[in-house]
Amino acid sequence: MESKEMLHFGVDLGWLLNFYLTRQYEKRTKEGKDQIYKSVYIYPLWNLIQEMESEQLKSSLDKYFEEELSISSGEVNLTPEILELWAVWQMNKFESRDIEIKDVEYKKALIRNSGSYVHDKKTGEYVACEFGDHANAVRQIICQAFEVIDPFDAPSRWPEFDEYIKSNLELKGAYFSKNHYLVGRGRSDPRC
């Protein structure tokens, strides 16, 4: 479908599309989502909008007409409603890019923001600690890192587990020192 380069009143189509896309971005930044959500899913969209050249915007509009409205040829009256619907469609396309990566980043950001977590610096994994339960989070990370069902059932590997905890784990909001969470620590040692 061919779109006209200039609309009435001498307004360039690329400029107009950018205007509607920017307006849709501003709406999304004002939605009732939390700041962490916006920082992961919404704010990065600004760069994508800025990178779109006039021809890319026009091509996106043509694609919208073909995919969503089943119009592949002829002239279309570009009403504000159609332009608004296109902007929503394009923003949804932007937002769905790399969604699995964004979901992981959002989860990590929520956990970091909670103030109580265990971070495995080796794998990048974050585990939230409900009610300050760092022992369970440490155990969960050890199970994943060493592919064991229960670290306490493998006493011969306790030195490995303890070294991993000392070297790789960061405990945020923990009541005790890292030594308290070592798998092979002496049970009767009051310093643990």
Side-chain angles (χ1 to χ4, degrees):
M1 178 178 152
E2 291 186 21
S3 53
K4 294 181 179 177
E5 294 298 316
M6 299 293 283
L7 302 174
H8 38 268
F9 306 116
V11 175
D12 178 67
L13 179 58
W15 180 90
L16 188 65
L17 294 173
N18 186 280
F19 170 80
Y20 272 90
L21 210 49
T22 300
R23 201 164 87 171
Q24 183 57 223
Y25 170 81
E26 289 169 355
K27 281 183 181 179
R28 291 185 186 213
T29 61
K30 292 175 184 169
E31 286 178 348
K33 305 283 187 184
D34 61 74
Q35 282 303 111
I36 296 171
Y37 180 93
K38 289 177 185 178
S39 69
V40 173
Y41 294 96
I42 305 299
Y43 297 147
L45 302 181
W46 179 250
N47 292 334
L48 295 175
I49 294 169
Q50 298 308 307
E51 290 170 5
M52 286 192 84
E53 300 287 334
S54 183
E55 289 307 313
Q56 291 173 301
L57 291 164
K58 293 171 192 172
S59 175
S60 170
L61 181 63
D62 289 342
K63 193 171 182 179
Y64 170 73
F65 285 136
E66 289 173 19
E67 290 182 10
E68 298 298 310
L69 304 179
S70 301
I71 299 172
S72 58
S73 63
E75 288 189 16
V76 177
N77 187 11
L78 293 177
T79 64
E81 292 79 16
I82 286 179
L83 292 170
E84 190 71 33
L85 289 171
W86 165 79
V88 169
W89 175 83
Q90 182 59 59
M91 288 297 283
N92 288 341
K93 291 272 190 195
F94 282 157
E95 203 169 334
S96 66
R97 283 187 189 174
D98 304 320
I99 194 68
E100 295 84 11
I101 295 170
K102 291 175 186 172
D103 289 346
V104 169
E105 285 304 312
Y106 181 59
K107 179 185 170 194
K108 287 180 181 180
L110 284 177
I111 292 170
R112 284 193 303 267
N113 195 52
S114 73
S116 184
Y117 60 82
V118 176
H119 174 216
D120 185 342
K121 293 182 273 188
K122 185 172 184 179
T123 65
E125 182 75 20
Y126 283 84
V127 178
C129 301
E130 293 184 28
F131 312 110
D133 187 7
H134 287 75
N136 193 41
V138 168
R139 182 177 173 191
Q140 184 179 336
I141 288 174
I142 292 298
C143 288
Q144 288 174 353
F146 291 91
E147 298 178 355
V148 294
I149 294 172
D150 187 344
F152 293 107
D153 290 343
S156 64
R157 298 190 70 191
W158 285 359
E160 284 179 79
F161 302 157
D162 290 350
E163 185 56 39
Y164 192 89
I165 292 167
K166 289 177 188 175
S167 302
N168 300 307
L169 300 190
E170 172 192 6
L171 282 66
K172 183 76 171 171
Y175 298 116
F176 305 106
S177 72
K178 200 183 288 190
N179 287 342
H180 179 82
Y181 300 98
L182 299 179
V183 177
R185 74 184 195 278
R187 291 284 176 260
S188 60
D189 187 342
R191 294 171 296 170
C192 292

